[in-house]
Amino acid sequence: MDAQTLYDKLWNAHVVRQEADGTALIYIDRHLVHEVTSPQAFEGLKLAGRKLWRTASILAVADHNVPTTGRAQGIADPIARLQVETLDSNCAEFGVNEFRMNDVRQGIVHVIGPEQGATLPGMTVVCGDSHTSTHGAFAALAFGIGTSEVEHVMATQCLLMKKSKAMQVVVEGALGKGVTAKDIALAVIGKIGTAGGTGYAIEFSGSTIRGLSMEGRMTLCNMAIEAGARAGMIAADDTTINYLKGRPFAPQGAAWDQAVAYWRTLHSDDGAQFDATIKLDAAQIKPQVTWGTSPEMVVAVDGRVPDPATMSDPVKREGAERALQYMGLAANTPITEIKIDKVFIGSCTNARIEDLRAAAMVARGKHVAPNVKLAMVVPGSGLVKQQAEQEGLDRIFIAAGFEWRDPGCSMCLAMNDDRLAPGERCASTSNRNFEGRQGPGGRTHLVSPEMAAAAAIAGHFVDVSVD
Amino acid sequence: MNKFTLLNGLVVPLDRANVDTDAIIPKQFLKSIKRSGFGPNAFDEWRYLDHGEPGMDNSKRPLNPDFVLNQPRYQGAQILLARENFGCGSSREHAPWALEDYGFRVIIAPSFADIFFNNCFKNGLLPIRLAAEQVDALFKAVEAMPGYRLKVDLERQTITAPDGTVYPFEVEAFRKHCLLNGLDDIGLTLQHVGEIAAYEAKHRAAQPWLFA
């Protein structure tokens, strides 16, 4: 057989049938469900009198709407409360396994799946959420779907789709001090643009990627969608397998050994052909900061806000002008001179234990700058929070003037009460800097946890790669 | 799902690249557990001068006169002309729900984000990719001529401009078939129950830990 990519292997292993035009019916192993994109799907099932095809494939959790403080009092916003209660009642009615809001295992869906071992190599993983690409870090084929497809998977365990093209992003070499998976992700997006990966599944490979922890790999695959790719993925290796061993949903005993033997085959073969290849030298990647309203509007922290006047493409120039106006920034301003009002450390991109450790290392023994009105740390799950507290990270953050919150999506998309006021500028470890994303009129700069913590302490962006 | 066959519709030009789904329907409206009623909040932050929240009477809110959808000449538009990477960002199907509820049936752009593109077809909305130069030409033509309409024929896969120019477009055969007939995907897939069950049995034998 010809040399196959990891994507070929995952795809071929899940084809149920194929139409003449290439549209395939793909079997889905794991379906993650949250409160925002599922109520209409459950309602559709009920209206049509359909049942779940395989109830045990579903794991549900409320994350987008949950408050990050005062959770014992419930959700104050009646509309948000109804949405979370609707998930609870749908899961109860259909017998779906759900981690409820006050369960210690509750958290952001893309944090808890891997944490529980509910995401495994070789799986197809879907969720009504674009950041499902995160799970590809485990050599899984994972992608976000809309609500109609959520219903489709519930009823049939399958999805109708066409195979994407395959892109490899190869990163070689050692990362410099203070440079993280987040910076790799932003550097890739800066290079290929937010539509650069449209129509592709991206495999990240190379020595730099092999050297990343699972947390780092998840950060990178999480942002594949910001490069336009529905799926990002990384080959399975010892790092993957060691992370999963002993997790509640992971196989055990003889089944574990059988699974591991299969997982070891989940990599692209030598000589496998990709439709596109992008190469990056890790040593050239510096800490990244976005300056505009799209993740591709990004520069290194030692750079300056670009000048739209120098852009030849009129659509790009107009976009940059509009972005600078929205962001309240002047062209050519050094990034390190941009002062911030708020700091958000959290989200499915950067709220895992390693992210919190990295931010705490920067904040240890220091204090949030007086011009920073709020610096908040929102762990990705109740278990991440517990682990961080066992390590004393909460005390480091609190002593430094950060708020230590309960887990959820929080100010990544500001569906709950955590949001920016109009005009406020935020250093955020999240994934989207769109207009209004963190609150109407809010201004978001995407950075790594280290960069966010350092900005909180200094009150403006600083280069964590220099002493 | 609504069928789509032929449309002779008024065109509105939305001249920005990378229009994301947060812009199409802001997050506060995602708290709804229904799939209808999002139209009045499509492009909420651009369309109104105040801040919108669920439950407001949108007919009483101040409109932003500079936003193209609010201009009198574009009222009743059914075709949205857009720039590259339209619909990027979140997977929220609320975005096509909002556009469809507003009255759009066709979106023309040089490129679309994958998930949004896919979601459109589930809701009787036809996203059409044309070359960037063709989209550019359409922007100029629309802006130059009030009442500019395009004829979209899905069966023939053509767009016809008032001056007679015909723009052929691509659409996957299966999606076209579903849209022309207003077919429900789930019903179609359930015609293959036997094949799904057979696959599942084989898959379970090969990777039993997935079914533990």
Side-chain angles (χ1 to χ4, degrees):
Chain A
M1 191 186 282
D2 291 343
Q4 292 185 303
T5 63
L6 171 59
Y7 178 54
D8 290 331
K9 292 179 183 181
L10 294 170
W11 176 270
N12 292 342
H14 290 90
V15 176
V16 173
R17 59 172 276 122
Q18 196 160 317
E19 304 289 338
D21 77 340
T23 304
L25 202 55
I26 292 293
Y27 187 84
I28 303 303
D29 294 311
R30 176 66 68 204
H31 190 183
L32 301 166
V33 164
H34 67 80
E35 80 276 22
V36 179
T37 55
S38 67
Q40 300 86 352
F42 278 113
E43 189 193 18
L45 283 186
K46 285 188 247 189
L47 287 173
R50 288 175 175 140
K51 291 186 293 198
L52 298 177
W53 181 282
R54 189 158 71 83
T55 310
S57 68
I58 307 178
L59 179 61
V61 72
D63 55 6
H64 284 62
N65 270 303
V66 298
T68 58
T69 53
R71 203 168 268 192
Q73 285 89 58
I75 303 174
D77 175 355
I79 309 174
R81 187 169 66 233
L82 175 64
Q83 195 168 57
V84 173
E85 286 171 355
T86 302
L87 179 68
D88 292 349
S89 64
N90 281 327
C91 288
E93 182 181 343
F94 284 88
V96 168
N97 191 3
E98 183 199 5
F99 296 164
R100 293 207 174 189
M101 191 170 78
N102 291 315
D103 188 318
V104 71
R105 299 170 299 174
Q106 181 271 343
I108 304 171
V109 67
H110 307 308
V111 174
I112 69 159
E115 181 174 82
Q116 292 292 323
T119 302
L120 294 172
M123 275 183 164
T124 42
V125 180
V126 297
C127 175
D129 191 286
S130 60
H131 290 109
T132 309
S133 58
T134 308
H135 307 265
F138 290 83
L141 176 56
F143 47 89
I145 56 179
T147 297
S148 294
E149 291 184 315
V150 168
E151 185 181 340
H152 194 279
V153 175
M154 284 176 167
T156 71
Q157 210 60 38
C158 291
L159 273 180
L160 280 162
M161 58 195 308
K162 268 191 150 173
K163 196 175 176 188
S164 305
K165 290 178 285 183
M167 177 187 289
Q168 62 174 341
V169 173
V170 186
V171 193
E172 299 284 0
L175 290 170
K177 175 178 177 286
V179 182
T180 69
K182 180 64 162 287
D183 303 301
I184 301 176
L186 289 170
V188 169
I189 296 163
K191 189 175 168 98
I192 70 174
T194 50
T198 302
Y200 289 94
I202 297 181
E203 179 179 349
F204 297 97
S205 59
S207 61
T208 316
I209 308 304
R210 286 194 295 277
L212 291 176
S213 65
M214 285 317 298
E215 286 84 351
R217 294 179 188 186
M218 285 188 259
T219 300
L220 188 54
C221 289
N222 173 275
M223 294 202 55
I225 185 64
E226 308 319 328
R230 257 179 116 172
M233 64 192 76
I234 294 173
D237 60 10
D238 287 343
T239 304
T240 323
I241 291 162
N242 293 337
Y243 177 95
L244 289 169
K245 195 164 178 57
R247 304 249 166 205
F249 286 62
Q252 293 175 359
W256 170 261
D257 296 336
Q258 191 190 355
V260 168
Y262 174 61
W263 297 346
R264 295 271 182 209
T265 69
L266 297 174
H267 53 79
S268 290
D269 298 328
D270 288 341
Q273 296 295 307
F274 289 85
D275 300 292
T277 296
I278 307 290
K279 291 189 175 177
L280 276 87
D281 176 2
Q284 301 298 317
I285 302 173
K286 293 176 180 169
Q288 305 282 305
V289 182
T290 63
W291 53 266
T293 54
S294 164
E296 71 185 21
M297 294 173 169
V298 63
V299 288
V301 62
D302 61 357
R304 291 167 181 267
V305 173
D307 186 350
T310 64
M311 299 178 183
S312 52
D313 176 351
V315 174
K316 273 213 155 38
R317 184 172 60 237
E318 217 169 287
E321 281 166 358
R322 186 179 286 129
L324 290 190
Q325 190 182 11
Y326 180 85
M327 293 296 289
L329 289 173
N332 301 314
T333 306
I335 296 295
T336 52
E337 286 180 13
I338 299 173
K339 289 190 173 171
I340 55 163
D341 304 304
K342 286 185 174 171
V343 174
F344 172 62
I345 297 175
S347 87
C348 59
T349 311
N350 280 129
R352 298 180 182 82
I353 189 67
E354 189 178 89
D355 301 315
L356 303 192
R357 285 178 189 143
M361 283 290 285
V362 173
R364 185 194 298 270
K366 303 198 173 79
H367 203 276
V368 169
N371 62 303
V372 175
K373 289 180 251 182
L374 172 71
M376 62 195 291
V377 183
V378 184
S381 73
L383 292 173
V384 167
K385 185 176 190 192
Q386 203 173 58
Q387 169 81 25
E389 288 175 353
Q390 279 164 9
E391 296 179 14
L393 305 184
D394 57 325
R395 294 191 293 282
I396 293 173
F397 284 123
I398 291 165
F402 288 81
E403 291 194 13
W404 179 245
R405 299 288 187 92
D406 286 329
C409 299
S410 181
M411 208 162 70
C412 173
L413 87 165
M415 265 188 87
N416 68 356
D417 292 334
D418 307 333
R419 66 185 71 161
L420 299 179
E424 280 183 341
R425 188 180 299 287
C426 182
S428 178
T429 67
S430 55
N431 41 56
R432 291 192 174 131
N433 50 350
F434 298 157
E435 285 185 23
R437 173 79 179 182
Q438 294 193 294
R443 294 161 172 168
T444 303
H445 295 271
L446 303 176
V447 289
S448 71
E450 287 87 335
M451 285 288 290
I457 303 303
H460 56 84
F461 291 109
V462 288
D463 186 350
V464 296
S465 69
V466 295
D467 291 310
Chain B
M1 187 177 80
N2 291 331
K3 281 185 194 184
F4 185 100
T5 48
L6 272 170
L7 175 75
N8 180 355
L10 186 71
V11 184
V12 59
L14 182 61
D15 196 1
R16 4 179 138 192
N18 298 312
V19 171
D20 58 74
T21 54
D22 278 78
I24 297 171
I25 183 79
K27 82 278 289 177
Q28 60 270 31
F29 304 106
L30 271 49
K31 294 175 189 173
S32 167
I33 57 172
K34 301 199 175 91
R35 63 162 82 210
S36 56
F38 295 101
N41 300 111
F43 302 109
D44 199 275
E45 287 185 17
W46 294 340
R47 199 163 143 200
Y48 300 97
L49 293 169
D50 63 346
H51 171 66
E53 283 292 334
M56 290 171 81
D57 181 351
N58 295 298
S59 66
K60 301 213 167 86
R61 294 175 58 199
L63 293 170
N64 174 7
D66 295 335
F67 185 53
V68 69
L69 253 60
N70 291 331
Q71 294 173 15
R73 64 183 276 198
Y74 297 122
Q75 296 314 299
Q78 291 179 288
I79 299 175
L80 181 64
L81 184 64
R83 293 288 187 184
E84 63 208 33
N85 202 26
F86 187 84
C88 61
S90 143
S91 68
R92 60 187 69 164
E93 199 162 315
H94 311 67
W97 293 338
L99 295 173
E100 196 269 345
D101 196 50
Y102 178 88
F104 291 118
R105 299 301 312 279
V106 172
I107 308 165
I108 300 170
S111 60
F112 295 88
D114 288 340
I115 304 178
F116 174 82
F117 186 76
N118 203 38
N119 284 341
C120 285
F121 285 96
K122 315 288 181 190
N123 294 283
L125 205 54
L126 175 61
I128 298 175
R129 295 189 193 103
L130 290 184
E133 310 78 66
Q134 293 176 320
V135 171
D136 235 15
L138 285 173
F139 265 98
K140 290 196 178 85
V142 174
E143 281 154 15
M145 181 182 152
Y148 188 91
R149 302 174 83 86
L150 288 170
K151 280 186 202 147
V152 180
D153 184 334
L154 177 56
E155 179 59 55
R156 293 173 55 221
Q157 296 182 214
T158 55
I159 298 171
T160 308
D163 65 2
T165 312
V166 176
Y167 301 89
F169 63 88
E170 295 292 319
V171 58
E172 288 171 22
F174 185 76
R175 295 187 196 271
K176 177 178 174 180
H177 171 71
C178 291
L179 210 46
L180 281 173
N181 297 289
L183 296 175
D184 162 23
D185 278 2
I186 297 178
L188 284 177
T189 299
L190 287 174
Q191 291 173 4
H192 306 298
V193 163
E195 278 171 273
I196 299 170
Y199 170 87
E200 196 169 53
K202 190 180 61 141
H203 194 45
R204 184 190 295 261
Q207 298 182 51
W209 60 88
L210 295 177
F211 296 82

